[in-house]
Amino acid sequence: QVQLVESGGGLVQPGGSLRLSCAASGFIFSNSAMSWYRQTPGKERELVAYITSTGVGTNYADSVKGRFTISRDNAKNTVYLQMDSLKPEDTAVYYCHVVRAWRDYWGQGTQVTVSS
C-alpha cells in the first residue's frame, strides 16, 4: 500500500526557514512524479511545488517562486521542500502527494505556522 509520511513542520518567525520531508513507500518511488500541496481552513488545497521522477524538472506556485525549493533523493525514497524567507501567509498544513494507478494519494500533513 502507498504510504506518504510528512515531517519537519513547526513554528517559525517571518523570514525564517523550514525543511519538510516526505518519506514514501509502497510504490516505485523513482518512477513517480511528486508534489507538495498546502491547505488553510476555508481555502482550497493548492499546489505548491512539483518535481519529475528524475528530479530534472520542477514547477512552483507563483507565490513561492524564489523562496521554496523542491528536491528528491530516489535512493532514500524521500522528497523535500526547503522553505526560506517564510511569510505569515505560508501558514498552512502541507501535504505530500503522488498519483499511482490513476488514484491520488496523500500524506497525513504537517503543520507550518509562520508568526512573530
Side-chain angles (χ1 to χ4, degrees):
Q1 60 273 18
V2 173
Q3 286 194 45
L4 303 171
V5 181
E6 302 97 332
S7 62
L11 175 64
V12 64
Q13 293 185 345
S17 297
L18 285 173
R19 190 191 193 199
L20 307 183
S21 298
C22 172
S25 62
F27 63 99
I28 304 175
F29 181 80
S30 61
N31 289 347
S32 303
M34 303 293 297
S35 300
W36 286 97
Y37 285 73
R38 67 186 181 187
Q39 187 167 28
T40 301
K43 297 184 65 177
E44 294 185 353
R45 189 169 297 186
E46 65 172 335
L47 177 65
V48 176
Y50 167 92
I51 189 166
T52 61
S53 59
T54 64
V56 171
T58 59
N59 287 102
Y60 300 91
D62 287 342
S63 59
V64 307
K65 285 181 179 177
R67 300 188 298 118
F68 290 11
T69 304
I70 188 171
S71 62
R72 67 192 297 156
D73 187 340
N74 284 355
K76 296 182 177 180
N77 285 4
T78 302
V79 62
Y80 306 95
L81 186 67
Q82 178 67 43
M83 304 185 294
D84 299 320
S85 302
L86 283 162
K87 304 175 180 180
E89 51 262 44
D90 295 319
T91 296
V93 178
Y94 284 72
Y95 296 91
C96 188
H97 170 264
V98 67
V99 176
R100 297 297 300 163
W102 296 274
R103 296 183 63 180
D104 291 286
Y105 293 90
W106 303 90
Q108 82 287 351
T110 185
Q111 176 71 49
V112 172
T113 302
V114 184
S115 177
S116 60

